[in-house]
PDB file of all heavy atoms in Angstrom:
ATOM      1  N   GLY A 407     126.892  72.895 130.802  1.00  0.00           N
ATOM      2  CA  GLY A 407     127.144  71.681 130.037  1.00  0.00           C
ATOM      3  C   GLY A 407     127.833  70.595 130.823  1.00  0.00           C
ATOM      4  O   GLY A 407     128.524  69.744 130.261  1.00  0.00           O
ATOM      5  N   ILE A 408     127.663  70.588 132.158  1.00  0.00           N
ATOM      6  CA  ILE A 408     128.282  69.571 132.992  1.00  0.00           C
ATOM      7  C   ILE A 408     127.371  68.361 133.067  1.00  0.00           C
ATOM      8  O   ILE A 408     126.249  68.457 133.565  1.00  0.00           O
ATOM      9  CB  ILE A 408     128.559  70.104 134.410  1.00  0.00           C
ATOM     10  CG1 ILE A 408     129.502  71.303 134.344  1.00  0.00           C
ATOM     11  CG2 ILE A 408     129.140  69.009 135.302  1.00  0.00           C
ATOM     12  CD1 ILE A 408     129.749  71.969 135.672  1.00  0.00           C
ATOM     13  N   PRO A 409     127.814  67.181 132.566  1.00  0.00           N
ATOM     14  CA  PRO A 409     126.958  65.999 132.594  1.00  0.00           C
ATOM     15  C   PRO A 409     126.976  65.322 133.960  1.00  0.00           C
ATOM     16  O   PRO A 409     127.825  65.596 134.803  1.00  0.00           O
ATOM     17  CB  PRO A 409     127.593  65.091 131.535  1.00  0.00           C
ATOM     18  CG  PRO A 409     129.044  65.451 131.592  1.00  0.00           C
ATOM     19  CD  PRO A 409     129.110  66.926 131.929  1.00  0.00           C
ATOM     20  N   GLY A 410     126.034  64.419 134.153  1.00  0.00           N
ATOM     21  CA  GLY A 410     126.037  63.613 135.377  1.00  0.00           C
ATOM     22  C   GLY A 410     125.556  64.388 136.585  1.00  0.00           C
ATOM     23  O   GLY A 410     124.744  65.300 136.492  1.00  0.00           O
ATOM     24  N   ILE A 411     126.095  64.041 137.742  1.00  0.00           N
ATOM     25  CA  ILE A 411     125.670  64.643 139.003  1.00  0.00           C
ATOM     26  C   ILE A 411     126.225  66.053 139.126  1.00  0.00           C
ATOM     27  O   ILE A 411     127.420  66.277 139.006  1.00  0.00           O
ATOM     28  CB  ILE A 411     126.133  63.796 140.196  1.00  0.00           C
ATOM     29  CG1 ILE A 411     125.506  62.401 140.125  1.00  0.00           C
ATOM     30  CG2 ILE A 411     125.760  64.460 141.518  1.00  0.00           C
ATOM     31  CD1 ILE A 411     125.982  61.466 141.204  1.00  0.00           C
ATOM     32  N   THR A 412     125.342  67.014 139.358  1.00  0.00           N
ATOM     33  CA  THR A 412     125.764  68.396 139.553  1.00  0.00           C
ATOM     34  C   THR A 412     125.184  68.908 140.871  1.00  0.00           C
ATOM     35  O   THR A 412     124.064  68.566 141.235  1.00  0.00           O
ATOM     36  CB  THR A 412     125.271  69.297 138.406  1.00  0.00           C
ATOM     37  OG1 THR A 412     123.848  69.146 138.259  1.00  0.00           O
ATOM     38  CG2 THR A 412     125.941  68.931 137.102  1.00  0.00           C
ATOM     39  N   TYR A 413     125.974  69.699 141.580  1.00  0.00           N
ATOM     40  CA  TYR A 413     125.534  70.281 142.843  1.00  0.00           C
ATOM     41  C   TYR A 413     125.492  71.791 142.687  1.00  0.00           C
ATOM     42  O   TYR A 413     126.521  72.438 142.524  1.00  0.00           O
ATOM     43  CB  TYR A 413     126.466  69.874 143.982  1.00  0.00           C
ATOM     44  CG  TYR A 413     126.221  68.464 144.450  1.00  0.00           C
ATOM     45  CD1 TYR A 413     126.881  67.392 143.871  1.00  0.00           C
ATOM     46  CD2 TYR A 413     125.297  68.204 145.458  1.00  0.00           C
ATOM     47  CE1 TYR A 413     126.643  66.087 144.278  1.00  0.00           C
ATOM     48  CE2 TYR A 413     125.053  66.905 145.890  1.00  0.00           C
ATOM     49  CZ  TYR A 413     125.732  65.856 145.294  1.00  0.00           C
ATOM     50  OH  TYR A 413     125.483  64.574 145.696  1.00  0.00           O
ATOM     51  N   VAL A 414     124.286  72.332 142.711  1.00  0.00           N
ATOM     52  CA  VAL A 414     124.087  73.767 142.574  1.00  0.00           C
ATOM     53  C   VAL A 414     123.754  74.335 143.944  1.00  0.00           C
ATOM     54  O   VAL A 414     122.882  73.822 144.656  1.00  0.00           O
ATOM     55  CB  VAL A 414     122.945  74.073 141.586  1.00  0.00           C
ATOM     56  CG1 VAL A 414     122.691  75.577 141.521  1.00  0.00           C
ATOM     57  CG2 VAL A 414     123.281  73.530 140.201  1.00  0.00           C
ATOM     58  N   GLY A 415     124.466  75.383 144.334  1.00  0.00           N
ATOM     59  CA  GLY A 415     124.209  76.047 145.601  1.00  0.00           C
ATOM     60  C   GLY A 415     123.615  77.422 145.389  1.00  0.00           C
ATOM     61  O   GLY A 415     123.592  77.949 144.269  1.00  0.00           O
ATOM     62  N   SER A 416     123.130  78.022 146.469  1.00  0.00           N
ATOM     63  CA  SER A 416     122.555  79.362 146.420  1.00  0.00           C
ATOM     64  C   SER A 416     123.438  80.328 147.205  1.00  0.00           C
ATOM     65  O   SER A 416     123.952  79.972 148.275  1.00  0.00           O
ATOM     66  CB  SER A 416     121.148  79.369 147.026  1.00  0.00           C
ATOM     67  OG  SER A 416     120.279  78.508 146.322  1.00  0.00           O
ATOM     68  N   TYR A 417     123.596  81.524 146.673  1.00  0.00           N
ATOM     69  CA  TYR A 417     124.348  82.566 147.381  1.00  0.00           C
ATOM     70  C   TYR A 417     123.370  83.663 147.782  1.00  0.00           C
ATOM     71  O   TYR A 417     122.711  84.266 146.934  1.00  0.00           O
ATOM     72  CB  TYR A 417     125.452  83.134 146.500  1.00  0.00           C
ATOM     73  CG  TYR A 417     126.280  84.199 147.187  1.00  0.00           C
ATOM     74  CD1 TYR A 417     127.285  83.840 148.082  1.00  0.00           C
ATOM     75  CD2 TYR A 417     126.045  85.561 146.950  1.00  0.00           C
ATOM     76  CE1 TYR A 417     128.046  84.807 148.722  1.00  0.00           C
ATOM     77  CE2 TYR A 417     126.797  86.529 147.586  1.00  0.00           C
ATOM     78  CZ  TYR A 417     127.796  86.147 148.475  1.00  0.00           C
ATOM     79  OH  TYR A 417     128.537  87.103 149.119  1.00  0.00           O
ATOM     80  N   ILE A 418     123.250  83.892 149.106  1.00  0.00           N
ATOM     81  CA  ILE A 418     122.384  84.942 149.633  1.00  0.00           C
ATOM     82  C   ILE A 418     123.275  86.115 150.010  1.00  0.00           C
ATOM     83  O   ILE A 418     124.183  85.977 150.839  1.00  0.00           O
ATOM     84  CB  ILE A 418     121.574  84.451 150.853  1.00  0.00           C
ATOM     85  CG1 ILE A 418     120.605  83.345 150.437  1.00  0.00           C
ATOM     86  CG2 ILE A 418     120.799  85.594 151.488  1.00  0.00           C
ATOM     87  CD1 ILE A 418     121.155  81.964 150.483  1.00  0.00           C
ATOM     88  N   GLY A 419     123.059  87.258 149.400  1.00  0.00           N
ATOM     89  CA  GLY A 419     123.923  88.407 149.599  1.00  0.00           C
ATOM     90  C   GLY A 419     123.932  88.918 151.031  1.00  0.00           C
ATOM     91  O   GLY A 419     122.973  88.729 151.794  1.00  0.00           O
ATOM     92  N   GLN A 420     125.027  89.585 151.405  1.00  0.00           N
ATOM     93  CA  GLN A 420     125.196  90.068 152.772  1.00  0.00           C
ATOM     94  C   GLN A 420     124.087  91.044 153.161  1.00  0.00           C
ATOM     95  O   GLN A 420     123.599  91.024 154.297  1.00  0.00           O
ATOM     96  CB  GLN A 420     126.568  90.737 152.921  1.00  0.00           C
ATOM     97  CG  GLN A 420     126.890  91.158 154.347  1.00  0.00           C
ATOM     98  CD  GLN A 420     128.308  91.697 154.484  1.00  0.00           C
ATOM     99  OE1 GLN A 420     129.142  91.479 153.605  1.00  0.00           O
ATOM    100  NE2 GLN A 420     128.583  92.380 155.575  1.00  0.00           N
TER     101      GLN A 420
END
Side-chain angles (χ1 to χ4, degrees):
I408 300 175
I411 298 176
T412 54
Y413 283 89
V414 176
S416 300
Y417 181 79
I418 295 88
Q420 185 175 343

